Amino acid sequence: MPICKVDGVEVEFEAGMNVLQVAELAGKEIPRFCYHERLSIAGNCRMCLVEVKPGPPKPQASCALPAAENMEIFTDTPMVKKARHGVMEFLLINHPLDCPICDQGGECDLQDQAMGYGRDDSRYADNKRAVEEKFMGPLIKTVMTRCIQCTRCVRFITEVAGVPEIGLISRGEDVEITTYLDKAVTSELSANIIDLCPVGALTSKPYAFNARPWELKKTESVDVMDALGSAIRVDARGSAVLRVLPRVNEDINEEWISDKTRYAVDGLARQRLDQPYIREAGKLRPATWSQALEAVASQIKATAPDRIGVIAGDLQDAESMKAALDLFRGLGVQSIDCRQDGMALGAGPRESWLFNSTIAGVEDADVVLLVGVNPRTEAPVLNARLRKRWLAGALRVGVIGPQADLTYPCDYLGAGPKTLGGLGKSKSDFVAALRNAKAPAIVVGAGALTRADGAAVVRAAAGVAKAFGMTWNVLHSAASRVGGLDLGFVPGPGGKTAAELVARGGADLLFLLGADEIDTSASKAFTVYLGTHGDRGAHRADVILPGAAYTEKNGFYVNTEGRVQQGVRAVFPKGEAKEDWAILRALSERLGAKLPYDSLDQLRAKLFADHPTFGRIDYVAGREAAAGLDLAALAGKEGGGTGELSDAPFVSAVSDFYLTNPIARASVTMAECAALASGAAKIAAE
């Protein structure tokens, strides 16, 4: 490896690194505004100046200068200090004195670096430049007079998000960052530019003037808005969650999160169930916990086990599903299901329902076939990884299913299962590329697996994967799905599926564990709803038991690649609401079938003992384990019964990205985004 000196200390570095990266390897802090390790190099803020030898006798922009063998780098010489003072002085010529009212105050790179590298005074007394505000939608607040033209937002939207709707116009003193045609940014990742902005030019519109960073309690947790399990930080003050920010996790979300993950949190405070309810004479009335639990227990005792059904929702933690499973299996109930969308998978080896390439591993694929999935709406962060791989010039993507703008070019092969079934006989360019691929992968979405012919689709997709040597991947859209399947939260011998349970006459008692995405209108069963919001599941419930949202409890979630992650409580449950497992534990005592754990630690000990995969926190088996997956068996009868492929085209499992769960549907911000996306709200240009 090449070697250079940084302030007299020898440092080994990889070929291709720039001077800034080498200086950081040596432990030297280099100030910067425009440089970001995940974006292309712009070199336009000039804050990262250093002195190098051999080289011209003037400061050099370290971000844009490749490091070389035997180069000497000086980061703290008088020349460098004077240059940085000058750059900071220029940056502050037109920057307004907004710190007392700026939402970036306390988290502002310009503020911090002005203290560390700036002068203690200014020689400029001229009037400052003013710039008109821009409209970027309901999520991003703009104060463009503060902008220092670092172009981080432009590069992110263009390169990572793949929706080039922000750009730099004019020249010289008139230069401005703006959206073209003054319209809202349409990317599902748009709000990441708020984190990237080093000044207060782009801030969070819903969070504006709510709090200062030092007032907030910061809790590291995981996201449940999709099945990726992105690493997040939940910031709360008192009992209110005020914002969600991304954490760096190279294996999953890098440092990006979707707009839904970031902004659906205002739904945590709206339409909440904060006390038990019992329906009497067609109307719900408030009740005590004792009354509600007694009403549920008496109904369960009076109902035969084969007439009871339990359905788990998309946001459930593993502990609540484990408690429900132990309780109702102990009562002899076999009709238990976590697949409220009717997904065909749930039997056979664990790898059959996992994203075996792993989220980070898709960057190793050279050809990817998407079947019945739109990753841009179902997993925006994963879609950004696919685009990243395509930008590197090493990925070809084929699509069978919904035709959508994925932000990178695709080979559209067809709309439905017939195309999938005939892929092996096709002579298209994509199939030729698939045959020659070194690391091909297939990604099957929930939209392909939740149909009436879902079992046949599984067989067809597995057959294609085996024929072309592809890694088998299932992209789920529900955060709880893999955890539920790992637990065996599926019908036992003689049990009914979720769809059969909600049909007319399917059950006499339905226990909905946060299940809001299934239509129960045809069922006449006595319905118990344990959940957080007055959403679909609670609308016709006979008894409502208020549970805890994902920010209000400690719980395990298993993401689509099979990685067990721990969600951490940031605030306490609302009102009289309790943690889900504790409600089930109290109910078990009323039923005379007391569960064998009195604390979360005891519950987890039993969870680990019964299902060892949950004890391997943050571990993912990946392609090595999937190599042993018998795709021939998955494509045979064991893969999901019989049935023929239908002619109906595949549709995405996510019809409205912003309104996919009870928390998002209760969010005012998500409602605004959904209205804008559907065209119901006028854009500024109109």
Side-chain angles (χ1 to χ4, degrees):
M1 294 175 67
I3 297 175
C4 67
K5 286 186 177 181
V6 179
D7 292 338
V9 178
E10 287 191 349
V11 178
E12 280 190 344
F13 63 94
E14 295 180 17
M17 296 181 76
N18 60 37
V19 170
L20 187 151
Q21 292 171 318
V22 172
E24 290 195 332
L25 282 179
K28 301 296 181 179
E29 181 181 350
I30 306 295
R32 85 292 298 267
F33 292 115
C34 68
Y35 176 78
H36 192 279
E37 47 278 350
R38 301 189 197 277
L39 303 176
S40 62
I41 293 172
N44 53 11
C45 77
R46 318 308 288 180
M47 194 64 207
C48 63
L49 295 173
V50 296
E51 188 178 350
V52 297
K53 292 181 181 179
K58 63 178 183 179
Q60 303 286 302
S62 60
C63 70
L65 182 65
E69 178 81 39
N70 298 323
M71 177 183 281
E72 291 188 67
I73 303 167
F74 303 93
T75 67
D76 204 26
T77 63
M79 178 195 292
V80 170
K81 289 182 179 179
K82 182 179 179 182
R84 289 175 180 170
H85 284 167
V87 170
M88 182 60 71
E89 192 173 12
F90 275 121
L91 288 174
L92 295 176
I93 288 175
N94 286 312
H95 196 78
L97 302 176
D98 281 350
C99 296
I101 57 144
C102 177
D103 275 315
Q104 283 280 56
E107 297 174 314
C108 176
D109 291 348
L110 183 64
Q111 196 176 55
D112 295 341
Q113 293 186 35
M115 293 293 293
Y117 303 99
R119 293 167 55 97
D120 59 357
D121 64 341
S122 175
R123 292 171 288 177
Y124 292 90
D126 302 309
N127 291 332
K128 292 180 181 286
R129 182 184 75 150
V131 181
E132 289 184 359
E133 306 313 337
K134 314 301 180 192
F135 175 74
M136 293 191 182
L139 305 180
I140 304 164
K141 177 187 174 186
T142 66
V143 185
M144 300 313 292
T145 301
R146 302 171 184 162
C147 180
I148 62 171
Q149 289 84 44
C150 71
T151 69
R152 279 186 179 182
C153 56
V154 177
R155 285 175 283 150
F156 174 84
I157 287 293
T158 303
E159 297 166 9
V160 179
V163 183
E165 295 174 338
I166 300 178
L168 200 67
I169 63 170
S170 300
R171 299 184 69 183
E173 190 181 11
D174 296 325
V175 71
E176 295 182 24
I177 300 285
T178 183
T179 55
Y180 303 119
L181 302 179
D182 202 25
K183 72 185 186 74
V185 182
T186 59
S187 171
E188 294 79 13
L189 298 167
S190 65
N192 287 290
I193 64 177
I194 294 168
D195 297 331
L196 289 172
C197 184
V199 295
L202 303 175
T203 55
S204 171
K205 190 175 285 187
Y207 175 72
F209 308 120
N210 275 346
R212 288 296 196 184
W214 53 84
E215 300 177 297
L216 303 174
K217 174 190 171 188
K218 302 167 180 65
T219 306
E220 294 186 352
S221 189
V222 295
D223 174 48
V224 299
M225 294 294 137
D226 57 32
L228 293 191
S230 298
I232 59 173
R233 193 186 84 194
V234 180
D235 287 359
R237 183 177 60 190
S239 62
V241 174
L242 295 185
R243 66 177 181 178
V244 163
L245 298 176
R247 289 188 293 122
V248 175
N249 187 328
E250 299 294 349
D251 293 330
I252 302 176
N253 59 306
E254 297 180 300
E255 59 186 272
W256 320 124
I257 54 174
S258 73
D259 292 348
K260 182 169 55 178
T261 297
R262 187 185 299 266
Y263 285 120
V265 291
D266 64 323
L268 291 167
R270 294 182 171 87
Q271 298 181 17
R272 286 301 299 271
L273 301 172
D274 57 1
Q275 66 182 67
Y277 290 88
I278 296 176
R279 191 178 297 276
E280 291 181 354
K283 293 185 178 181
L284 290 170
R285 68 163 180 85
T288 64
W289 271 109
S290 180
Q291 292 170 337
L293 290 174
E294 194 59 48
V296 175
S298 62
Q299 284 291 333
I300 292 176
K301 290 176 181 177
T303 307
D306 63 344
R307 299 297 299 166
I308 297 175
V310 184
I311 304 174
D314 292 349
L315 305 182
Q316 291 304 121
D317 57 293
E319 290 88 343
S320 66
M321 290 189 285
K322 173 61 174 171
L325 195 65
D326 288 349
L327 174 58
F328 287 99
R329 282 278 193 258
L331 296 173
V333 176
Q334 298 297 328
S335 299
I336 294 177
D337 205 352
C338 66
R339 305 164 302 177
Q340 46 181 346
D341 55 8
M343 176 171 283
L345 293 172
R350 183 175 188 246
E351 290 74 24
S352 66
W353 58 74
L354 295 184
F355 197 94
N356 294 294
S357 289
T358 72
I359 295 167
V362 297
E363 295 186 29
D364 297 327
D366 51 1
V367 179
V368 172
L369 176 63
L370 304 178
V371 180
V373 62
N374 179 353
R376 181 172 172 181
T377 56
E378 296 177 39
V381 175
L382 175 66
N383 194 62
R385 279 196 185 266
L386 290 171
R387 175 175 168 79
K388 177 182 175 183
R389 176 65 168 161
W390 170 77
L391 279 175
L395 180 66
R396 188 163 183 178
V397 179
V399 174
I400 300 177
Q403 195 168 9
D405 177 13
L406 298 181
T407 71
Y408 43 84
C410 303
D411 292 274
Y412 187 70
L413 307 175
K418 296 296 185 182
T419 304
L420 179 64
L423 196 64
K425 300 177 182 178
S426 173
K427 296 182 180 179
S428 67
D429 291 343
F430 178 80
V431 172
L434 202 54
R435 294 187 191 280
N436 297 322
K438 296 180 180 179
I442 186 170
V443 179
V444 185
L449 302 174
T450 57
R451 302 151 44 102
D453 64 344
V457 172
V458 170
R459 294 199 305 275
V464 169
K466 181 173 177 58
F468 292 100
M470 307 165 80
T471 304
W472 176 260
N473 298 298
V474 177
L475 181 59
H476 295 277
S477 56
S480 66
R481 185 60 48 82
V482 174
L485 296 179
D486 286 350
L487 286 168
F489 207 100
V490 293
K496 297 178 180 178
T497 64
E500 292 169 338
L501 286 172
V502 300
R504 185 179 296 274
D508 293 335
L509 187 147
L510 278 177
F511 194 98
L512 304 181
L513 187 62
D516 291 281
E517 313 307 321
I518 190 167
D519 184 7
T520 61
S521 59
S523 174
K524 302 299 180 185
F526 183 89
T527 304
V528 180
Y529 178 75
L530 193 166
T532 60
H533 285 72
D535 202 73
R536 298 166 183 168
H539 283 173
R540 61 172 306 278
D542 296 288
V543 178
I544 293 175
L545 306 175
Y550 75 105
T551 55
E552 300 162 3
K553 59 186 175 185
N554 296 310
F556 288 125
Y557 299 89
V558 189
N559 75 349
T560 192
E561 61 183 351
R563 187 186 303 270
V564 179
Q565 300 183 100
Q566 187 169 3
V568 181
R569 182 177 63 199
V571 296
F572 287 96
K574 305 297 181 189
E576 297 178 33
K578 309 290 183 186
E579 293 186 30
D580 301 11
W581 77 267
I583 296 172
L584 292 162
R585 166 64 178 77
L587 177 60
S588 72
E589 204 157 4
R590 301 274 179 160
L591 290 167
K594 183 178 175 182
L595 291 172
Y597 29 79
D598 299 322
S599 68
L600 184 62
D601 288 341
Q602 293 175 357
L603 168 53
R604 285 179 171 175
K606 190 171 191 308
L607 175 66
F608 298 159
D610 294 347
H611 307 278
T613 55
F614 285 90
R616 306 180 76 176
I617 310 298
D618 204 37
Y619 170 78
V620 58
R623 279 178 300 214
E624 292 76 12
L629 178 62
D630 189 352
L631 288 172
L634 192 61
K637 190 173 181 181
E638 299 84 353
T642 60
E644 297 297 326
L645 293 172
S646 78
D647 293 327
F650 293 131
V651 295
S652 172
V654 175
S655 57
D656 191 331
F657 169 73
Y658 298 104
L659 304 175
T660 55
N661 59 62
I663 299 173
R665 286 191 288 270
S667 166
V668 172
T669 306
M670 292 296 97
E672 292 176 0
C673 291
L676 194 66
S678 67
K682 290 184 177 181
I683 63 174
E686 296 176 332

